[in-house]
Amino acid sequence: MRRVGWLVLGVAILAAPWLVAAVVPRQQRYVLHVLIFTALFAALALSYDLVVGHVGSLSLGHPAFFGVGAYTAAILATQARWSFLTDVFAAGLAAAVVAALVGVPLFRLAEHAFAVGTLGLALVASVVANNWVQVTRGPLCITGIPKPALGPLAVATLPAFYWLALAALIVVVSLYRGLTTFRLGRAFHAVRDNEPLAASAGIDPLKYRLLAFTIAAGLAGAVGALYVHYLSVMCPEEMTVALTVNLLVIVFLGGVGSLRGVLVGAVLFTALPEVLRLAPTWRLVIYGGLLLLVVIRSPGGIESLLRRASR
Amino acid sequence: MLHGLTLGSMYALVAAGLALMLGVARLINFAHGEFFMLGAYVFWFGYSELGLPYPVAALLAPAVMVAFGIAYQRTVIRAILPRSWHVQLIATLATSIVLTNLAIIVLGTQPKEVPTALSSRILDVAGLRVAWQRLLVLAASLAIFWGLHWFVGRTRTGRAMRAMSQNREACAVVGVDVQWTAMVTFAISAALAAIAAALVSPLFNIFPDMGTTLTLKAFAAVVAGGFGYVNGAIAASFLIGLTEALAGSYISYAYKDAIAFVIMIAVLLWRPQGLFGRRIGI
Amino acid sequence: MRLALTLATLLLMAVSAGAQATPPIRIGFASAMSGPAAITGEGVRWGATLAVEEINAKGGVMGRKLEAFFADNKAQPGEAVSAVRKLVDVDQVDVIIGQTHSGACLGAMPVVKELGVPMVIEACSHPQIRALSGKGGNEWTFRVALDDEIMAYTFARYMARQGVKSSSILAMNNDFGRGAADAYDAAFKKANVKLLSTEFFDPGQPDYRPVLTRLKRANPEAILAVILASDGAPFMRQFRELGLTQRVFSRGSLGSAEFLYQVRDNPKIGDGVIEASYWITGLDPEWDKKWTERYKVPPRIHGSLAAITLKWAVVPALEIALKKHGKADRQTIRAALEEVDVKDSPLGPIKFDANHQAWINMILIEIRDGQLRILEKLPTSPALLN
């Protein structure tokens, strides 16, 4: 019975453009736009959860990697005319390299210092993006980023982009599962749950934390590249510290360390406000309040509520 | 130079409160900047709307924020104090979001100006022009820090705070009232932020978002000074204030907000335990 | 007899019901409703609401009422795309007024073309917008406001006429400020004013001492300040505190009622500032009065610009569309906008050229004795750019 349920859900997700066109014909473009954002955000949140949920390092610097990837892709696509797939790859690589470089000194710090250190990284990256006008054009933004092209196929329509975003999400989900199960996953969890014990068992915490951190950054950079190809514009405002808050809400409301939880969190956080159409400031108050409640009462997030319900 | 000291005083007052909480109660409070912001609005309300004289309005701010701080402590803090610092960080961050946006809704986005007699009068000495208010900020901060030092060193509660920051479990055993001490610490922390706001608001202006950057910089100072060591946080704050002013004047004004963090990262790279090492106690 | 009367009544009811069944014309307003620039969006919302009420109270446009819809672009291009899509797909608007911020304008422009909805820009100041609109490729975007290139050339020449030989630029570190700084850099060269230094500051941060120290050191004769009223107040206070004596020329909203309100404890603090703008309180005293009565603060620039754009650009277009085609949908409104020819709006003539730019008047405002006064009203035209 459950298998059939999953199959139906899978088909519905794949066929979303047609379903949306049938159910809400007049609003279909807007709904697809929201779904694309949801898919991209879900991928970004999963990459963040690798660091926060699976190796237990509270990094507050994820927007920096998203931004590095986004700007790398934007500059390569507009200045050097690189093709879509190559600039996405370059974006992910650039972000991963930056993560490896800053990760080595950052991980030497004690936990609290690490958190504030990564926060500092996000802030510095944001200030640089806004002021290094020769490269990023600062607040004037990089415009004219071309729509993606997979070989001869141009991804020019909304449904096409939806499937591209969905494909990216599926790739990230698979990587996430692969990284968090089997021996590697167990090593990550050992580091998260009991670092001294892990170290004594021969698992080098620094190595594994850095590995998760770097891979997560690379994924964030790749998502950034997709994001700029969708919007065709990249501005410094897209990578501020506020993005960390969004990611924290998704991951902690949804359920830190759990695939289903984070996906549910991403859908709720991205799609729900569009449906409810709350005034933006009230929306933030509600999210803050929800986050506060959830983190105090039910730190496992919605995922733990779902688990309790299915018992 | 003087300007750097003024900035440093502001950061120091806020960071000291943060360090106190961290040292004594092991609490990470990301909503600390909002105490500053709300204190500023209370001051504005007292001075501009109620027409109270400056000293009265300036004392009203910490009075109200102490009450608010105690309410905050009994509700949110009590719930998160026994939990992991991850939970504390996120819970207080969430509170910060709620408070900032409620302020936007209730008080509006238009910044409020609160010029006082001292902020408009300029002292002109040998080509150096400075508003009297800036000197007040500096003088008041020094007085407050001296008072804080005396309090922690000489009074019973102060010594209890020191003891708690060194060994909390032992405190309960020897009969120190842990709850009361924690509450007093929190009240002091809130009052420090509010006084900073009352001192500095006449020079700058007041808007709902003013607390967020301040929290980040205060954290940078606390971390650089050695987590939970109050004098370290104060020293780091002055370092940050002076560097910001100097770099802003001579190198580049646009990048100055990043300076606090660059300093912090540099300090941490050189000495991962902070400028004064891993000291026990406040 | 009774049958005839009943039939007539029924017919009358049917006709009146049908008349009431004509739907209102939907106008979308997009601006920064949240985030650091939320104050502009608030102004737009207030201005739009007041203007729509005013128009509907007079019976609407040729009997058709107007309905306003709002969307938040957070002053970011990504959000501007979402805002446009929401207004078009969900709210089904017929025309959009807005974006206010250049980054958002640039992000929204491709989308309004894709969706086929006319957008009349009330405030974005990036010169690239003019290059891209109308015969520049995007037939769906129109702009009422002047851009920085137009204003810079005019203002720089004015400064030179006033005897200014050297200047520094102090600009907000956002799209508006950076765009303006680029424009004035080029304009100063053309007007033979030496540019000594350019400084940027983050809007909303209140501490100007470091940058004022730098300006003092560079020692220009004048400072060209690209700054809004809310930042202008602490700026001028600290300017006086440090004892600077440069002449301040500004582009933003320093010379405005909002600024004077912020410094009402010491209104002369702004004396001598000359502002280049295209809007000021006093252009439409009745509007100012309505605004102040309703909102209890002096009229705000972005709200008033949105209202003027609605009343003197969009409404005439609606009238043309309704008269010619009997309907006001997206295509007819777009075509009608190209025919709008208003001579006497509060901003000056509104007629869109081949790049869909309206060449409204530029106004030079001076603060003297704590009051605003109009120094000069300069008509603009493409010839200015040569």
Side-chain angles (χ1 to χ4, degrees), chain A residues 89-135:
Chain A
F89 183 71
L93 191 62
V97 165
V98 171
L101 286 173
V102 300
V104 170
L106 276 175
F107 277 113
R108 276 201 300 154
L109 302 172
E111 290 184 52
H112 323 90
F114 173 80
V116 184
T118 52
L119 188 60
L121 173 72
L123 198 104
V124 170
S126 180
V127 171
V128 167
N130 210 24
N131 289 293
W132 198 16
V133 189
Q134 298 86 335
V135 172

Side-chain angles (χ1 to χ4, degrees), chain C residues 144-386:
Chain C
V144 169
L146 295 175
D147 66 38
D148 279 307
E149 209 182 343
I150 302 168
M151 301 196 64
Y153 277 75
T154 320
F155 205 22
R157 250 178 269 185
Y158 175 81
M159 283 168 73
R161 276 206 315 270
Q162 299 289 307
V164 170
K165 303 260 186 329
S166 66
S167 178
S168 286
I169 298 177
L170 172 70
M172 296 189 282
N173 194 8
N174 60 13
D175 45 10
F176 174 42
R178 294 240 175 212
D182 283 346
Y184 281 94
D185 195 321
F188 278 150
K189 282 201 188 81
K190 272 215 153 158
N192 283 323
V193 175
K194 195 150 170 261
L195 178 60
L196 295 180
S197 65
T198 307
E199 307 285 346
F200 293 98
F201 68 93
D202 286 318
Q205 73 80 47
D207 179 24
Y208 295 91
R209 265 191 92 104
V211 76
L212 285 167
T213 316
R214 295 164 72 92
L215 286 171
K216 207 173 185 179
R217 228 178 308 125
N219 204 18
E221 272 175 48
I223 298 178
L224 191 282
V226 186
I227 191 170
L228 294 181
S230 46
D231 294 319
F235 171 72
M236 284 312 294
R237 285 186 210 278
Q238 290 168 36
F239 182 89
R240 302 279 180 223
E241 185 191 342
L242 268 171
L244 272 81
T245 52
Q246 277 76 11
R247 298 182 66 178
V248 175
F249 295 87
S250 80
R251 165 76 194 104
S253 55
L254 184 53
S256 67
E258 216 180 311
F259 169 76
L260 288 176
Y261 180 73
Q262 297 273 61
V263 299
R264 60 194 183 283
D265 58 298
N266 186 359
K268 297 214 181 158
I269 213 167
D271 274 10
V273 168
I274 296 181
E275 163 106 10
S277 178
Y278 41 86
W279 179 84
I280 182 181
T281 45
L283 290 174
D284 186 348
E286 266 193 52
W287 168 258
D288 297 345
K289 203 169 108 187
K290 274 192 210 138
W291 178 294
T292 323
E293 266 168 21
R294 171 78 90 96
Y295 297 120
K296 312 284 186 270
V297 289
R300 296 221 198 125
I301 179 170
H302 296 106
S304 308
L305 285 175
I308 294 174
T309 307
L310 175 63
K311 295 200 284 192
W312 276 282
V314 173
V315 164
L318 293 175
E319 285 172 353
I320 294 173
L322 285 170
K323 280 197 192 114
K324 266 196 171 174
H325 306 274
K327 58 181 171 159
D329 62 18
R330 295 171 191 160
Q331 286 86 343
T332 50
I333 296 177
R334 192 210 70 76
L337 279 166
E338 284 178 343
E339 295 175 41
V340 166
D341 189 354
V342 169
K343 302 271 193 299
D344 56 355
S345 82
L347 299 174
I350 293 186
K351 186 166 150 68
F352 298 106
D353 70 0
N355 283 95
H356 289 183
Q357 173 72 45
W359 292 83
I360 59 179
N361 295 332
M362 209 174 110
I363 307 174
L364 291 180
I365 304 162
E366 188 190 20
I367 303 182
R368 180 67 42 206
D369 289 331
Q371 305 262 359
L372 299 174
R373 55 182 211 109
I374 299 182
L375 263 184
E376 274 182 55
K377 220 182 238 189
L378 303 164
T380 59
S381 77
L384 271 173
L385 293 175
N386 302 328

Side-chain angles (χ1 to χ4, degrees), chain B residues 80-157:
Chain B
I80 65 174
L81 206 47
R83 313 287 288 279
S84 80
W85 67 275
H86 287 193
V87 172
Q88 287 179 7
L89 193 143
I90 293 172
T92 50
L93 186 63
T95 314
S96 157
I97 297 169
V98 171
L99 288 173
T100 310
N101 285 285
L102 276 177
I104 292 178
I105 292 173
V106 171
L107 298 157
T109 51
Q110 177 103 21
K112 311 254 185 264
E113 293 251 313
V114 206
T116 61
L118 283 178
S119 70
S120 319
R121 295 233 202 85
I122 318 266
L123 169 66
D124 200 337
V125 156
L128 174 71
R129 293 175 56 97
V130 68
W132 279 101
Q133 186 77 19
R134 290 189 197 265
L135 296 172
L136 179 64
V137 173
L138 204 50
S141 312
L142 289 173
I144 291 172
F145 288 137
W146 184 84
L148 189 64
H149 186 77
W150 174 85
F151 181 81
V152 171
R154 292 303 171 85
T155 65
R156 233 176 116 191
T157 320

Side-chain angles (χ1 to χ4, degrees), chain A residues 93-183:
Chain A
L93 191 62
V97 165
V98 171
L101 286 173
V102 300
V104 170
L106 276 175
F107 277 113
R108 276 201 300 154
L109 302 172
E111 290 184 52
H112 323 90
F114 173 80
V116 184
T118 52
L119 188 60
L121 173 72
L123 198 104
V124 170
S126 180
V127 171
V128 167
N130 210 24
N131 289 293
W132 198 16
V133 189
Q134 298 86 335
V135 172
T136 64
R137 290 178 41 85
L140 293 174
C141 309
I142 298 184
T143 56
I145 303 166
K147 290 264 177 269
L150 298 165
L153 281 168
V155 180
T157 61
L158 277 177
F161 213 103
Y162 170 74
W163 284 310
L164 179 63
L166 192 60
L169 179 60
I170 292 174
V171 167
V172 172
V173 168
S174 320
L175 273 171
Y176 180 94
R177 290 218 70 182
L179 288 167
T180 57
T181 43
F182 317 124
R183 273 183 72 183

